[in-house]
Amino acid sequence: MDELVLREQIADETVMSRRALLQGSGLLLGFALTGASTESVFAAPASQVSENEVTGTFAPNGFIRINPTGAVNLIIPMIEMGQGVYTSLSMLLAEELEVKLDQIQAQHAPPNHALYVNSIIGIQNTGGSASVRAFWTPLRQAGAVGRNLLIAAAAKRWNVDPVTCRAKDGVVLDTSGSKHLSYGELAKAAAKLPVPPAANVKLKDPKDFTLIGTRAKRVDSPIKVDGRALYGIDTRLPGMKVAAVAISPCSAAKRKRWTRRPRWR
């Protein structure tokens, strides 16, 4: 080859790509394999995650976002590399927050060492089989803080003692069960309450776990099966150039030209 020109390929509408095939046929397979909803577990790209995302959003810490629609977002501090952390870490939060696993939407955490440092490794990093070990306590504390504030918001509205209320499946109920408010309905009020120190909040006794320790279906399977999941290779930025290593189709071939890459300064 005298010259290799790499261009971004624009797929012909008549040619079915692997992703298009998955989007068309994988939906049925997704139901068969997971039995889960096809709604994406990703609520927004990391670039849209901030400390003050939406007016009225309940964000008592760096891990939880609950908006008035009732969507419960978990800001995942670890990268999913096939080890299942989107599921395991979601289970930790859901257990203490008192929501079902399928009520949680997972988001990638943005770069923020202060909020998402891996305490075992010492930096915001995924590795060393440390995801659950590093966030076993922080995520449970985050969920417990959120649960207590939502219960407090409901008790304040009903003018009752918070100890007479309980949370279950994203809803706060009074003792009799006759009154109930969803987390979405309580989000704005809970956001106005002072956030207690995480270390002061009592966590569940392991004997009371209803989710941790159980077999759970992977929360990230549906979008990977039907082709909606986005990977690094899917990234496209304005003016972005795509490069690849060219391998000669001929045995023992030698390069004809070599262009040295300029040093970054």
Side-chain angles (χ1 to χ4, degrees):
M1 296 173 150
D2 291 338
E3 185 176 0
L4 177 64
V5 179
L6 297 177
R7 298 178 180 177
E8 183 177 348
Q9 296 181 350
I10 301 176
D12 191 295
E13 293 182 358
T14 61
V15 179
M16 179 171 287
S17 66
R18 173 180 176 275
R19 187 175 297 276
L21 174 64
L22 286 173
Q23 288 174 333
S25 62
L27 184 61
L28 179 60
L29 181 60
F31 277 112
L33 292 180
T34 68
S37 165
T38 58
E39 290 299 316
S40 175
V41 296
F42 302 101
S47 60
Q48 295 181 22
V49 178
S50 65
E51 287 306 286
N52 298 292
E53 293 170 78
V54 183
T55 301
T57 293
F58 176 52
N61 47 61
F63 301 107
I64 299 174
R65 303 288 184 272
I66 301 178
N67 62 39
T69 67
V72 179
N73 297 333
L74 164 60
I75 312 303
I76 293 282
M78 296 286 97
I79 298 299
E80 173 62 66
M81 299 189 293
Q83 75 278 46
V85 293
Y86 280 177
T87 305
S88 58
L89 298 185
S90 293
M91 291 171 75
L92 299 182
L93 183 78
E95 182 71 69
E96 297 286 352
L97 188 58
E98 289 292 355
V99 295
K100 294 180 179 179
L101 189 58
D102 62 7
Q103 289 179 278
I104 286 185
Q105 296 176 315
Q107 295 177 260
H108 289 294
N112 190 322
H113 178 82
L115 287 178
Y116 307 114
V117 61
N118 183 320
S119 60
I120 293 177
I121 298 177
I123 59 176
Q124 185 177 350
N125 174 278
T126 302
S129 298
S131 297
V132 173
R133 290 186 294 147
F135 290 96
W136 169 261
T137 298
L139 280 173
R140 290 179 60 206
Q141 288 177 330
V145 167
R147 180 189 73 237
N148 285 356
L149 287 171
L150 290 160
I151 288 176
K156 186 175 181 180
R157 184 174 301 186
W158 296 329
N159 195 28
V160 298
D161 191 324
V163 299
T164 66
C165 304
R166 62 187 178 90
K168 182 177 176 59
D169 298 341
V171 176
V172 178
L173 307 96
D174 67 351
T175 304
S176 66
S178 60
K179 295 180 180 179
H180 56 85
L181 290 167
S182 70
Y183 283 3
E185 293 174 301
L186 294 167
K188 289 184 178 180
K192 297 176 182 178
L193 299 177
V195 179
N200 294 351
V201 177
K202 184 178 179 180
L203 301 179
K204 278 187 177 182
D205 189 301
K207 67 180 177 59
D208 297 322
F209 288 163
T210 59
L211 187 57
I212 294 176
T214 64
R215 295 179 64 88
K217 294 175 181 177
R218 292 275 295 254
V219 300
D220 54 331
S221 291
I223 61 170
K224 289 179 177 178
V225 170
D226 66 22
R228 287 178 293 126
L230 297 179
Y231 297 86
I233 197 172
D234 297 313
T235 301
R236 291 292 182 271
L237 300 174
M240 182 173 126
K241 303 295 183 182
V242 179
V245 176
I247 300 176
S248 173
C250 303
S251 176
K254 295 182 179 180
R255 68 174 183 267
K256 183 176 181 179
R257 188 178 69 225
W258 174 265
T259 302
R260 182 180 294 275
R261 177 182 175 183
R263 291 179 177 272
W264 290 103
R265 298 183 182 277

